[in-house]
Amino acid sequence: MKAWMCVPVILLALAGCAGKTAYRDSCGTQLDAAWKELDLAKAEGFAGTVSYSKALSLLTGAKTQQQFEAFEGCSNKAEKARFYIRESRAGR
């Protein structure tokens, strides 16, 4: 195989790595914010709501995805969890 033929393979591999880490910061930021918001909701007495339970479940899944470096899914789940936390705090 000629050296110039390896260039597309290398570029494709690098693009895959960049895509995998694109959501890394978002995942961490969303998770941190969501856990803090969940703690506030619990302190305010909303821990028994359905929305709170959904948020907790989503955050557990997001944390698992973070550990397996599935950062896009982690970010999406944490964002959804934050929605349910807001719903919980609103009494829904």
Side-chain angles (χ1 to χ4, degrees):
M1 181 187 273
K2 302 280 185 198
W4 62 268
M5 294 175 77
C6 293
V7 172
V9 174
I10 292 169
L11 291 176
L12 185 60
L14 289 175
C17 291
K20 188 173 185 176
T21 59
Y23 288 89
R24 182 188 310 247
D25 291 339
S26 175
C27 168
T29 301
Q30 291 280 358
L31 271 178
D32 288 344
W35 283 114
K36 288 175 186 170
E37 292 168 6
L38 194 70
D39 286 343
L40 285 174
K42 183 177 181 181
E44 293 170 350
F46 294 110
T49 66
V50 173
S51 294
Y52 181 94
S53 298
K54 287 180 182 180
L56 182 59
S57 177
L58 284 164
L59 285 177
T60 302
K63 184 63 180 174
T64 301
Q65 286 187 312
Q66 183 187 38
Q67 291 171 339
F68 285 99
E69 297 183 3
F71 299 117
E72 184 175 2
C74 164
S75 183
N76 291 338
K77 277 187 173 57
E79 193 173 336
K80 285 180 188 176
R82 293 181 77 191
F83 166 78
Y84 283 115
I85 293 165
R86 288 190 299 274
E87 289 292 299
S88 173
R89 292 178 78 190
R92 297 184 281 250

